[in-house]
Amino acid sequence: MDIVQNVNSLNIDLENLPKPGGSYTAVNTRGNIAYVAIQFPIKNGQLQHAGRLGDQISTEQGYEAAGICARNIIGQIQKFIGFENVEGLNHLDIYFQNAENWNDGPAVANGASDLFNEVLGEAGKHTRTIIGVHSLSRNSCISITSSFTLKSD
């Protein structure tokens, strides 16, 4: 499996990725671990699927939003690190804004996990945490942070 070819097949515009919304960097490397800052479902500069999962946003739309977040993570890694330098994905922290009785967090989180597993193969195996929160910036339904192990020199 050629990860770089799979990443390139997503046609992610590396010049049009979401920019940090504060005093931090999109990707920070410490030793052989790269941390990707929080990514929202922003596509072409526009937030997709604003609102609460289980209220204004369906589980299916949440799955799609998680996939958009994952595409943005992939784009940030490709732009700042290059997937040829990545050993694999370690962990995802997935935050979602949900209605009180909505309980489909794992199904929504799969929107990101499925994309990483498809694009990265074995290197896409990861752990994850899913956390329901009261609110997210800009009324986003979901946001994701991640970490990757880099290849040793």
Side-chain angles (χ1 to χ4, degrees), residues 15 18 28 44 46 55 70-71 76 88 98-99 115-116 122 125 141 145 148:
E15 301 308 314
N28 189 26
N44 298 321
Q46 299 296 314
D55 191 1
R71 287 175 57 92
Q76 299 289 2
N98 60 288
L115 182 67
F116 282 118
E122 284 293 311
K125 288 186 176 180
C141 70
T145 62
F148 291 80

Side-chain angles (χ1 to χ4, degrees), residues 38 93-97 129 131-133 136 141-145:
I38 196 164
D93 285 320
I94 303 172
Y95 304 89
F96 49 85
Q97 179 177 244
T129 303
I131 305 162
V133 298
L136 288 170
C141 70
I142 192 168
S143 64
I144 304 176
T145 62

Side-chain angles (χ1 to χ4, degrees), residues 29-55:
T29 303
R30 294 282 188 254
N32 69 333
I33 304 293
Y35 300 91
V36 181
I38 196 164
Q39 298 294 302
F40 294 94
I42 296 174
K43 185 176 181 181
N44 298 321
Q46 299 296 314
L47 180 67
Q48 307 295 304
H49 307 299
R52 290 194 180 282
L53 289 156
D55 191 1

Side-chain angles (χ1 to χ4, degrees), residues 35-111:
Y35 300 91
V36 181
I38 196 164
Q39 298 294 302
F40 294 94
I42 296 174
K43 185 176 181 181
N44 298 321
Q46 299 296 314
L47 180 67
Q48 307 295 304
H49 307 299
R52 290 194 180 282
L53 289 156
D55 191 1
Q56 301 96 349
I57 307 298
S58 70
T59 297
E60 293 76 20
Q61 290 171 312
Y63 180 95
E64 180 182 322
I68 296 168
C69 292
R71 287 175 57 92
N72 289 337
I73 291 167
I74 288 168
Q76 299 289 2
I77 286 290
Q78 184 69 347
K79 180 176 182 175
F80 292 103
I81 304 290
F83 264 98
E84 66 277 6
N85 300 310
V86 172
E87 185 175 316
L89 172 62
N90 297 326
H91 184 79
L92 302 173
D93 285 320
I94 303 172
Y95 304 89
F96 49 85
Q97 179 177 244
N98 60 288
E100 186 175 333
N101 294 316
W102 180 85
N103 201 20
D104 286 337
V108 166
N110 283 344

Side-chain angles (χ1 to χ4, degrees), residues 3-22:
I3 294 173
V4 174
Q5 183 179 351
N6 289 346
V7 168
N8 290 338
S9 73
L10 293 174
N11 294 318
I12 297 170
D13 180 358
L14 299 179
E15 301 308 314
N16 193 28
L17 292 169
K19 309 269 188 284

